[in-house]
């Protein structure tokens, strides 16, 4: 079992290369629909016979999954290939953002899965890769860039091999006495950072777990509260005796930047943030807070005062061995663009606003 095999498979999927997933119940040779075009698809599937593998959540929208299956978006569903399904049509099937532009898709025929364990692992790989969980399934006799076993996928853990890469003094606008610490894992290309502010002492630090948000943190998006929360957290930490901001590279609650923007497009069609994520075939919140726990452990911090409205962050840290001595709320005013977003966080994901 090797997490690095899963990391190589994730990289291959992002590049649009073929991957084979092996399980006790069989093997599947796959190409991500998102990474396929007319040329690469012809090389992968020269006879145009590759079926389509999608998530149950997406299959429900296409009227292909029963209620039990659709309740679990991780379950795989196989669609029989028909002559009208080319690379463009497959992308319309995979991406719910395109439903209004191409509403008349089908008819479809669901097929029995020959290797459901391999199929479930494939959907997990897609989510880890930050691509739509949708594949062409080709003949296992063809070539693949990477062959990965199901235990390899299960062993993939961003936190397991995380280590401190470097650290340096970094004066910031809220605190001149700050140090930035970079963390890197050989299994994962994303690098997480911590900003340690103030003079360390024996008291529990004020800690903020902040998930990367390009649109909010950098571009000043009004659709979320991420940017204002980041800056308020830095001020709150600077006002404490000492503290740490953990900047986690888990954009869009862990689904990645591109999929977050797809979720934005679905919100413009009337879906809230929860339904948009599920409609794309992802979890409501796909973040891994064990990464933050590992970062704190590497910094020698075992107890924190956590600056958050999210009970899942408290549970995630405590489940990974970090004691949360106190939860400190972080409440900011809404604006006309993020009122529904904040209400959804409160009403559907348990945020204590």
């Amino acid at each position: 079992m090797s997490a690095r095999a899963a990391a190589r498979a994730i990289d291959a999927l992002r590049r649009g290369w073929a991957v084979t997933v092996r399980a006790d119940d069989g093997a599947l040779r796959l190409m991500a629909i998102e990474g396929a075009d007319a040329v690469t698809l012809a090389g992968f599937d020269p006879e145009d016979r590759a079926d389509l593998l999608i998530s149950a959540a997406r299959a429900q929208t296409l009227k292909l999954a029963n209620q039990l299956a659709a309740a679990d978006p991780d379950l795989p569903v196989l669609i029989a290939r028909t002559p009208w399904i080319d690379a463009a049509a497959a992308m319309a099937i995979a991406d719910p953002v395109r439903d209004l532009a191409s509403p008349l898709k089908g008819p479809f025929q669901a097929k029995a899965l020959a290797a459901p364990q391999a199929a479930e692992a494939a959907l997990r790989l897609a989510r880890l890769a930050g691509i739509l969980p949708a594949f062409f399934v080709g003949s296992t006799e063809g070539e693949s860039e990477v062959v990965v076993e199901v235990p390899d996928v299960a062993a993939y853990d961003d936190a397991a091999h995380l280590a401190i890469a470097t650290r340096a003094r970094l004066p910031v606008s809220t605190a001149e006495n700050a140090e930035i610490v970079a963390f890197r894992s050989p299994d994962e290309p994303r690098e997480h950072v911590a900003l340690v502010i103030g003079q360390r002492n024996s008291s529990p630090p004020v800690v903020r777990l902040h998930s990367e948000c390009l649109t909010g943190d950098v571009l000043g998006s009004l659709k979320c509260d991420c940017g204002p929360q980041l800056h308020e957290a830095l001020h709150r930490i600077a006002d404490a005796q000492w503290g740490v901001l953990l900047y986690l590279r888990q954009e869009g609650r862990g689904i990645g930047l591109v999929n977050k923007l797809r979720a934005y497009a679905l919100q413009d069609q009337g879906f809230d943030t929860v339904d948009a994520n599920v409609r794309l075939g992802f979890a409501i919140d796909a973040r891994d807070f064990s990464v933050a726990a590992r970062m704190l452990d590497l910094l020698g911090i075992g107890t924190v005062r956590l600056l958050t409205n999210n009970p899942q962050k408290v549970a995630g840290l405590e489940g990974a061995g970090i004691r949360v001595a106190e939860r400190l709320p972080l409440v900011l005013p809404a604006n006309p663009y993020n009122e529904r977003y904040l209400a959804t966080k409160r009403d559907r994901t348990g945020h204590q606003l």
Side-chain angles (χ1 to χ4, degrees):
M1 157 170 67
S2 169
R4 295 194 180 187
R8 287 192 293 271
I10 289 168
D11 182 64
L13 290 176
R14 286 182 178 140
R15 295 173 185 270
W17 296 343
V19 169
T20 293
V21 181
R22 288 179 178 165
D24 291 339
D25 59 358
L28 295 174
R29 179 170 159 267
L30 307 153
M31 173 176 281
I33 290 176
E34 185 172 338
D37 57 30
V39 175
T40 59
L41 181 57
F44 174 80
D45 177 40
E47 298 183 358
D48 295 332
R49 293 183 178 178
D51 294 326
L52 277 61
L53 180 70
I54 61 173
S55 70
R58 181 59 177 149
Q60 181 191 32
T61 303
L62 300 173
K63 310 302 181 186
L64 274 167
N66 62 38
Q67 290 183 346
L68 181 61
D72 185 350
D74 289 338
L75 290 176
V77 174
L78 191 66
I79 297 177
R81 183 74 173 277
T82 58
W84 65 271
I85 301 179
D86 57 10
M91 191 60 189
I93 291 170
D95 186 358
V97 175
R98 307 184 184 207
D99 284 350
L100 292 183
S102 55
L104 300 177
K105 294 187 284 290
F108 302 109
Q109 179 184 354
K111 296 177 66 174
L113 271 166
Q117 293 176 22
E120 287 187 43
L123 293 183
R124 172 167 164 73
L125 280 174
R127 295 182 179 105
L128 289 170
I131 61 176
L132 291 169
F135 294 96
F136 287 106
V137 182
S139 168
T140 54
E141 296 178 359
E143 294 184 359
S144 293
E145 190 69 28
V146 177
V147 177
V148 62
E149 308 282 343
V150 167
D152 298 333
V153 181
Y156 186 85
D157 182 354
D158 186 12
H161 302 114
L162 201 66
I164 293 176
T166 192
R167 54 204 310 164
R169 188 177 70 87
L170 182 70
V172 295
S173 60
T174 53
E176 295 183 5
N177 57 338
E179 179 189 35
I180 189 166
V181 185
F183 300 80
R184 178 184 287 163
S185 168
D187 303 326
E188 168 61 50
R190 295 173 297 182
E191 294 157 341
H192 308 281
V193 298
L195 189 69
V196 183
I197 293 175
Q199 186 63 43
R200 181 168 182 158
N201 58 36
S202 60
S203 66
V206 173
V207 171
R208 169 68 180 169
L209 277 57
H210 188 87
S211 298
E212 178 183 35
C213 179
L214 174 69
T215 49
D217 300 342
V218 179
L219 303 179
S221 168
L222 298 177
K223 286 177 68 72
C224 64
D225 58 346
C226 300
Q229 279 197 334
L230 173 61
H231 297 293
E232 176 65 15
L234 286 170
H235 282 286
R236 295 275 293 274
I237 293 171
D239 290 342
Q241 294 185 54
W242 75 291
V244 182
L245 174 85
L246 300 183
Y247 197 80
L248 307 172
R249 303 294 300 281
Q250 298 180 351
E251 181 89 42
R253 296 183 186 170
I255 68 174
L257 176 62
V258 172
N259 288 314
K260 182 181 84 168
L261 299 184
R262 288 178 173 132
Y264 279 1
L266 287 172
Q267 290 168 38
D268 289 340
Q269 295 177 17
F271 300 96
D272 66 22
T273 54
V274 168
D275 289 335
N277 276 25
V278 172
R279 199 172 181 88
L280 286 165
F282 292 92
I284 294 171
D285 192 334
R287 288 175 292 183
D288 180 5
F289 296 123
S290 67
V291 173
R294 172 67 175 163
M295 293 167 71
L296 291 169
D297 184 59
L298 290 168
L299 292 171
I301 297 171
T303 302
V304 302
R305 300 169 64 208
L306 191 62
L307 195 57
T308 186
N309 304 323
N310 186 355
Q312 291 185 23
K313 289 184 178 179
V314 176
L317 286 187
E318 292 190 329
I322 301 296
R323 177 173 172 264
V324 179
E326 183 181 6
R327 185 186 72 82
L328 305 172
L330 185 62
V331 181
L332 294 167
N335 67 61
Y337 297 95
N338 69 13
E339 285 177 335
R340 187 186 182 198
Y341 167 80
L342 295 176
T344 299
K345 287 208 295 185
R346 180 194 64 217
D347 299 338
R348 301 197 64 185
T349 63
H351 284 229
Q352 298 171 354
L353 305 179

